[in-house]
Amino acid sequence: QKEVEQNSGPLSVPEGAIASLNCTYSDRGSQSFFWYRQYSGKSPELIMFIYSNGDKEDGRFTAQLNKASQYVSLLIRDSQPSDSATYLCAVNSDRNDYKLSFGAGTTVTVRA
Amino acid sequence: NAGVMQNPRHLVRRRGQEARLRCSPMKGHSHVYWYRQLPEEGLKFMVYLQKENIIDESGMPKERFSAEFPKEGPSILRIQQVVRGDSAAYFCASSPPRTDGIQYFGAGTRLSVL
């Protein structure tokens, strides 16, 4: 079983719609959860982090965390063509809070 | 404030040669992490270093790979006697001492082994 799993996509949404990305993780002791955006050939860019159960909103992005279900999601509201990228879910290890485990990423395409 | 700087951006090596990848962390960051990204796969942790110390190298292959972060200068990831399977994107990230897991990534070095 992979430590962090994401739907690979591609996820295609029309401009203005909500893109919903899901991520599950296997380490029940994980404490910190991150979403990175990666454009093709570029570096991962941190867009959201969440530590507590519930929702966290930042602009058009909302991260949702459910530790009991070992599930974290990212919603992108009012999707724009510039949101087209691969979104990486990352989770820290319980014992070593510096070691991030990444999912393979979900590729999102926003259709104009 | 410059971000994490990696060079070269692209590196081509023939089998058996050595590859040296460099990473300068963000100003004020003393922790450096190296990750490898293979096509269609997520980033895989390789090594975590602080100045002059290797803290965790559990993700590094046992042979041919080494990393250092000297007191002065950038962190270096060194791959000896490269093989085709080493072809990947290598990313460096950095963080300040208190991080809560947040790491900032460089643009990566794309290594191609012919």
Side-chain angles (χ1 to χ4, degrees):
Chain A
Q1 181 188 7
K2 291 182 180 178
E3 294 181 41
V4 181
E5 297 210 45
Q6 298 180 250
N7 293 332
S8 61
L11 176 65
S12 181
V13 298
E15 186 174 357
I18 295 175
S20 178
L21 293 78
N22 303 318
C23 173
T24 58
Y25 58 93
S26 61
D27 187 346
R28 185 169 290 278
S30 296
Q31 297 295 322
S32 305
F33 307 87
F34 307 89
W35 284 99
Y36 284 83
R37 177 176 63 197
Q38 187 176 26
Y39 293 111
S40 181
K42 303 296 184 182
S43 62
E45 175 192 5
L46 180 67
I47 56 171
M48 287 287 285
F49 59 90
I50 186 167
Y51 303 129
S52 304
N53 279 329
D55 294 0
K56 178 181 179 182
E57 186 174 318
D58 184 0
R60 295 185 294 110
F61 299 101
T62 298
Q64 299 173 317
L65 174 62
N66 184 327
K67 289 185 179 180
S69 300
Q70 295 174 239
Y71 173 92
V72 58
S73 65
L74 179 70
L75 300 177
I76 307 173
R77 292 184 301 281
D78 188 23
S79 295
Q80 302 297 310
S82 60
D83 294 327
S84 298
T86 297
Y87 290 81
L88 307 174
C89 174
V91 176
N92 83 327
S93 165
D94 177 30
R95 289 172 296 160
N96 306 299
D97 65 1
Y98 53 80
K99 187 182 292 186
L100 295 180
S101 296
F102 282 83
T106 297
T107 299
V108 173
T109 300
V110 180
R111 309 187 304 271
Chain B
N1 186 11
V4 179
M5 304 301 292
Q6 289 189 250
N7 66 81
R9 292 293 309 277
H10 301 275
L11 183 61
V12 179
R13 287 286 178 266
R14 297 190 180 279
R15 281 179 296 171
Q17 292 184 319
E18 179 179 287
R20 292 171 68 88
L21 289 63
R22 290 177 292 277
C23 169
S24 296
M26 286 178 70
K27 187 176 181 180
H29 288 191
S30 55
H31 298 199
V32 166
Y33 317 83
W34 286 92
Y35 293 83
R36 176 165 63 177
Q37 187 175 38
L38 294 169
E40 308 302 323
E41 295 187 19
L43 284 83
K44 302 295 185 186
F45 170 82
M46 299 181 72
V47 61
Y48 162 41
L49 310 104
Q50 297 177 18
K51 285 284 187 181
E52 300 183 281
N53 283 303
I54 297 174
I55 308 302
D56 182 347
E57 57 181 348
S58 60
M60 290 266 279
K62 294 291 186 286
E63 297 179 350
R64 303 187 298 109
F65 285 71
S66 62
E68 63 177 7
F69 189 15
K71 185 176 181 180
E72 300 292 337
S75 175
I76 305 288
L77 179 66
R78 182 183 179 204
I79 311 173
Q80 295 177 291
Q81 300 176 322
V82 296
V83 301
R84 289 215 172 113
D86 297 333
S87 296
Y90 292 83
F91 288 96
C92 170
S94 74
S95 71
R98 175 63 183 170
T99 176
D100 293 328
I102 294 175
Q103 299 174 15
Y104 299 90
F105 282 80
T109 293
R110 279 149 186 84
L111 172 66
S112 297
V113 179
L114 305 179

